Amino acid sequence: HLVTDPKYGFLRQLGLTIENPGLYDGRWGGSGKVIESISPATGKVIAKVRTSTLQEASNAITEARKAWPQWALLPAPTRGEIIRQIGEELRNNLKPLGRLVSLEMGKILPEGIGEVQEFIDICDYAVGLSRMLPGSMFPSERKNHALLEKWNPLGVIGVISAFNFPIAVYGWNSAIAMVCGNGIIWKGALTTPLVSIATTKIITGVLERNGVPGSIACLVTGGADVGETIVNDSRIPLVSFTGSTNVGRNVAIKVQERFGKCLLELGGNNALIVAQDADLEMAVRAAVFSCVGTTGQRCTTTRRLLLHSKIKDEFLGKLKIAYKCILERLGDPLDDNVLYGPLHNQHALDEYKQAIDSALQNGGKIEFGGKQINRVGFYVEPTIISGLSSKAEIVQKETFAPIVYVFEVNSLEDAIAFNNSVQQGLSSSMFTKNLGNVFQWIGPHGSDCGIINVNIGTSGAEIGGAFGGEKSTGGGRESGSDAWKHYMRRATITINYGNELPLAQGIKFE
Ligand code: NAD
């Protein structure tokens, strides 16, 4: 167990031991099977976690529901003050928690810390929101009547999240949902349970210090069956699901069957277009981070490079040189100076290999990489593949690995059509200096994605905007802008403060 190794002292700082309870429903527990959390860099066991049974998951919903009324009745600025303290506590734990993200997920340390920072940032945002949650008053057509719109919390919402952002996605959901007055039941990925436990300890510690039941932020640990318990429970009015499109589709159908609401953040198949007039140096630098950053395991990772025929060879040449440099910076994600870590687990490694085989069988040519790296952990070469048809099955699907497919395009129209030719609609980006191109790209016949970038890569969003994508990416929006609306129900209220009873539209019924 790495948890007993003095080199990983930050694990004990976060309150983790050799075997950890994976259930929090006001108290820590869990009597499901014991699972091991594995370090992607070494294949070694970090610590063990006792998962939740299905009955325990259901009980946790009951506990969160019991605690919820007290939370919902607090004034929003009071909830905001508690979220501010959560942000402070995350700041105090920025480095150890960031290290844990890096150790358990496998992303490099600056990105692990960046994820915790994202949670801190959204806490700040939520604090502001707590004093700005709007309501409206519209002019009524009836004399002595007031027409209002008020937003109320939904209740206890379910958050089911993916392995690749084991804390930030929960941060986006929990900070906004809680400030809106909701309780939460969270199920993180089965392979990142320690991040879920350490995060929940921090949050519930702050809640309890403020005299609020910790069960406002319940945690369950487990796989698909524990997730389904949340999905199928009609006491959960909203399920915020982040994960693959296939799982998300079934989640959406099941939640819809019981007329619950879903917030879906599913897979992407993101393209980066480099126009003829682009600043190639900038475009290459952006492409490197977008294609190989987080070892290709971001939902916004660039999967398709659409290069204008006039600059294709030069761009590709520069990209390959950059990829060579990246290989020299491959290593343990916790080590300084490392830019490129392992894939998350054996499953991810298998998917990488299958994608390469499929690309080769379909006429693809490996321009760079293509192989597993011979060292412990799940390391693979960052890979560039050319020569495939845009319609090839492997190009149409999201492979969660550092593989990018390169294509030649000859016009802006071709590039936009190519960008839009996949089922997914998450992120997209174009490098150009031409203002006409930019407005075509962001206009009604431009990119059909939820995220449309210009002269930056496809990945690395900020919290201020609404994050999410169209088509089979699910249509959800999280984080900034007006994403808070997902976590509240809108009531239209008409108040008659006069002595008469006029009907709308002047209807007479007397
Ligand atoms: P996944 O779909 O395998 O799992 C996601 C979560 O769903 C996990 O917690 C898992 O345990 C749970 N789950 C699995 N089966 C379930 C079921 N039947 N019912 C309920 N819950 C179930 O995804 P993953 O491999 O962990 O993550 C990678 C995927 O997530 C990629 O497709 C990536 O693009 C996507 N993702 C999207 C965003 C976004 O914001 N759009 C962000 C991060 C990741």
Side-chain angles (χ1 to χ4, degrees), residues 32-356:
K33 70 173 194 247
V34 174
I35 53 160
E36 292 175 333
S37 166
I38 308 283
S39 156
T42 60
K44 286 189 182 152
V45 177
I46 307 168
K48 290 182 186 173
V49 171
R50 194 169 278 280
T51 56
S52 322
T53 63
L54 303 189
Q55 187 57 50
E56 283 167 343
S58 175
N59 294 348
I61 296 172
T62 307
E63 292 305 316
R65 291 269 313 167
K66 267 194 224 157
W68 172 62
Q70 182 183 342
W71 180 249
L73 285 176
L74 288 177
T78 307
R79 293 196 297 262
E81 163 55 21
I82 296 173
I83 302 288
R84 188 194 65 74
Q85 293 174 33
I86 291 175
E88 271 313 291
E89 208 49 35
L90 289 165
R91 273 189 184 89
N92 296 337
N93 285 282
L94 178 67
K95 289 213 172 124
L97 207 46
R99 277 182 188 278
L100 173 60
V101 171
S102 180
L103 177 67
E104 193 176 42
M105 186 278 159
K107 59 178 66 177
I108 59 170
L109 186 54
E111 291 191 57
I113 289 178
E115 255 204 75
V116 185
Q117 185 61 47
E118 214 167 327
F119 197 165
I120 294 168
D121 294 344
I122 199 81
C123 283
D124 286 352
Y125 183 94
V127 176
L129 190 61
S130 75
R131 290 192 180 265
M132 296 193 301
L133 278 170
S136 310
M137 188 157 175
F138 307 108
S140 170
E141 66 187 48
R142 284 172 280 186
K143 197 176 158 196
N144 294 336
H145 279 56
L147 186 55
L148 317 172
E149 184 168 273
K150 184 176 187 313
W151 294 84
N152 284 311
L154 292 170
V156 173
I157 68 150
V159 177
I160 301 177
S161 56
F163 78 86
N164 65 325
F165 276 92
I167 182 165
V169 165
Y170 175 66
W172 294 353
N173 280 282
S174 63
I176 302 291
M178 282 170 71
V179 99
C180 289
N182 300 287
I184 294 170
I185 178 147
W186 177 25
K187 193 200 90 59
L190 192 55
T191 50
T192 53
L194 298 174
V195 173
S196 305
I197 292 169
T199 305
T200 301
K201 282 193 175 180
I202 289 170
I203 291 170
T204 57
V206 174
L207 291 173
E208 284 169 1
R209 275 207 300 281
N210 282 276
V212 173
S215 47
I216 282 300
C218 286
L219 173 72
V220 292
T221 305
D225 53 354
V226 174
E228 280 168 14
T229 303
I230 296 174
V231 166
N232 292 328
D233 196 314
S234 56
R235 294 173 297 170
I236 303 292
L238 168 73
V239 176
S240 174
F241 177 86
T242 302
S244 57
T245 292
N246 281 342
V247 176
R249 181 182 289 111
N250 289 327
V251 165
I253 291 168
K254 284 185 184 152
V255 174
Q256 181 60 41
E257 255 173 17
R258 60 175 178 82
F259 291 108
K261 291 183 189 171
C262 245
L263 205 173
L264 298 173
E265 298 281 352
L266 312 178
N269 190 350
N270 318 299
L272 187 151
I273 298 169
V274 186
Q276 192 180 348
D277 68 335
D279 178 329
L280 284 197
E281 295 300 327
M282 251 172 73
V284 169
R285 277 173 52 204
V288 175
F289 179 67
S290 287
C291 296
V292 310
T294 331
T295 315
Q297 299 167 107
R298 284 184 183 232
C299 50
T300 50
T301 294
T302 301
R303 312 271 171 218
R304 298 174 295 148
L305 273 176
L306 314 184
L307 309 176
H308 193 278
S309 47
K310 293 251 169 64
I311 52 90
K312 183 183 162 215
D313 290 341
E314 189 185 349
F315 183 93
L316 210 49
K318 288 179 191 289
L319 191 68
K320 287 183 194 174
I321 293 169
Y323 267 47
K324 275 194 198 125
C325 299
I326 288 289
L327 272 180
E328 286 163 19
R329 307 275 293 275
L330 173 148
D332 187 322
L334 279 166
D335 288 349
D336 287 343
N337 218 26
V338 166
L339 287 182
Y340 182 80
L343 283 172
H344 183 56
N345 56 15
Q346 184 63 44
H347 174 72
L349 184 61
D350 294 343
E351 296 260 301
Y352 168 86
K353 288 182 182 165
Q354 277 166 23
I356 305 267

